Amino acid sequence: MAQIDQFIAEFASAVWGFPLVLLLIGGGIYLLIYSRFLPFRYLGHSIEVLRGKYNNPDDPGDINHFQALSTALSSTVGMGNIAGVAVAIALGGPGAIFWLWVSAVVGMATKFFTNTLAVMYRGRDTEGKIQGGVMYFIVEGLGRKWKPLAAFFAIAGLVGALPVFNVNQLTQAINYILLEPNDIQTGFTSNLIIGIALTLITTIVIIGGLDRISKTVSKLVPAMVALYFFSVLVILFVNYDVVFQYFGMIFTDAFAANNYKGDPLLGGVLGGLILLGIRRGAFSNEAGIGTATMAHGASKTSEPVREGLIAMLGPAIDTLVVCTLTAMAILVTGVWQSTDVNGVSLTAAAFDQAIPYVGNYLLLLCILAFSISSLFSYSYYGTKCLSFLIGAENKRYYNWVYILSIIVGATTSLSFILNLIDGFFALMAIPTMISTLIMAPRVMKAAKIYFKKYGLAK
């Protein structure tokens, strides 16, 4: 097992090298400048669309704009925001958060382009149903000769969509917050029981398909974000005297890298810190990875640009808001310097210190909602990847693999799980960014027509 763990760690480090960072962040910066900072210029209009102002029940698709964003957010607003941020701070200190923010700002532009393409070039599966996603917009937009690139994305997506990280960290949270303080022995048996319970819950929802998934998460996502937001505000209020000090350290340590404990990559410690922030940012908001295109591609709309505008809100909500809340809770309580725990346990330590007796349980409620909603959404992504590869009539087989992987996630080490998903996310980014950069001019042409049509040209 140690050899497998080492192999997966080396695999993740190899694919997350300079070429991928250049493609993901360099490509995102290019899209941001090429669009003349469109995500920020049309932020108000995107919120109007989200509120339902332009909804048309007769438009093609399966779910409305809000449900599409909720489905996409339920997979990104998850353990990456609680455990992923904690991992970033444990390895890189406050400065890692700055680079996580950079990935989110750049990611807003990337999300606009990828998800506009997801609707612009929707395809049909073998059952004749309209489908969206990176694999479909590659084939429909670039032609059949590009199908190997589309298949590469779908194959990587089969592993990237597995729920193992969320399950692993939820299991760790239940052990750390609920079982261990009550003198209940934890280990393989308790982890297995938690895994079986999560398997049963997930099976009930995912068998209902996208409609049940989208309706469930559109209720869960707003509630869990609100509860988490309130809890962290309490922590910041309790530690109000050091809030500005640590907020400032996010900027000063971004270039000094005083607290970096990871491997020196990209030419030095600062390069390692930048890569850490970008890697955790990509895991958190998945901009440029391509999973969200499968949810937004199912949206009820005849205006591809409109869905792109909705999708670009994802990194803002996910990383700039929720991840920052987690980071500040960990920093102001000082637990990142005074404890050896990592992942979700570090966030739990912050909640326990600032809100004694009930803080841990508030966090556990949030974690349950974050993790379980992610479990629902990623199953949908995996089935779409398998449908593309071997036909929609066979997609149900993925659910069995998915359900079994929940047990694996509950009983395996954090480092193995994190490196596995990181590695396959990196592989998914390659076809997503290459195809998006090639078709970017088509998106801008459609955007100019759209904004002129609605009198919004700037």
Side-chain angles (χ1 to χ4, degrees), residues 61 78 87 108 113 127 153 168 177 189 259 262 272 276-277 281 288 292 306 321 332 338 372 374 405 425 428 453:
V87 169
M108 289 179 71
F113 280 87
E127 293 178 342
F153 172 86
N168 178 275
I177 296 171
T189 303
N259 297 287
L276 173 66
R306 191 176 289 161
V321 176
V332 300
S338 60
I372 291 173
S374 296
S405 76
F425 263 36
M428 293 168 73
K453 177 180 176 181

Side-chain angles (χ1 to χ4, degrees), residues 83-147:
V85 172
V87 169
I89 292 175
L91 288 176
I97 303 306
F98 176 85
W99 299 108
L100 193 136
W101 287 345
V102 169
S103 77
V105 171
V106 171
M108 289 179 71
T110 306
K111 282 259 184 153
F112 169 74
F113 280 87
T114 55
N115 289 284
T116 297
L117 288 169
V119 177
M120 187 181 292
Y121 294 107
R122 289 197 265 212
R124 290 187 181 274
D125 61 22
T126 53
E127 293 178 342
K129 293 180 180 177
I130 292 175
Q131 300 288 357
V134 172
M135 56 281 199
Y136 288 99
F137 75 59
I138 288 175
V139 173
E140 300 298 324
L142 296 176
R144 304 294 296 182
K145 65 181 180 181
W146 289 82
K147 191 169 182 179

Side-chain angles (χ1 to χ4, degrees), residues 56 59-60 65 119 122 299-304 306 453-454:
N56 182 351
D59 280 341
H65 293 297
V119 177
R122 289 197 265 212
S299 179
K300 273 186 172 292
T301 184
S302 56
E303 296 282 5
R306 191 176 289 161
K453 177 180 176 181
Y454 290 95

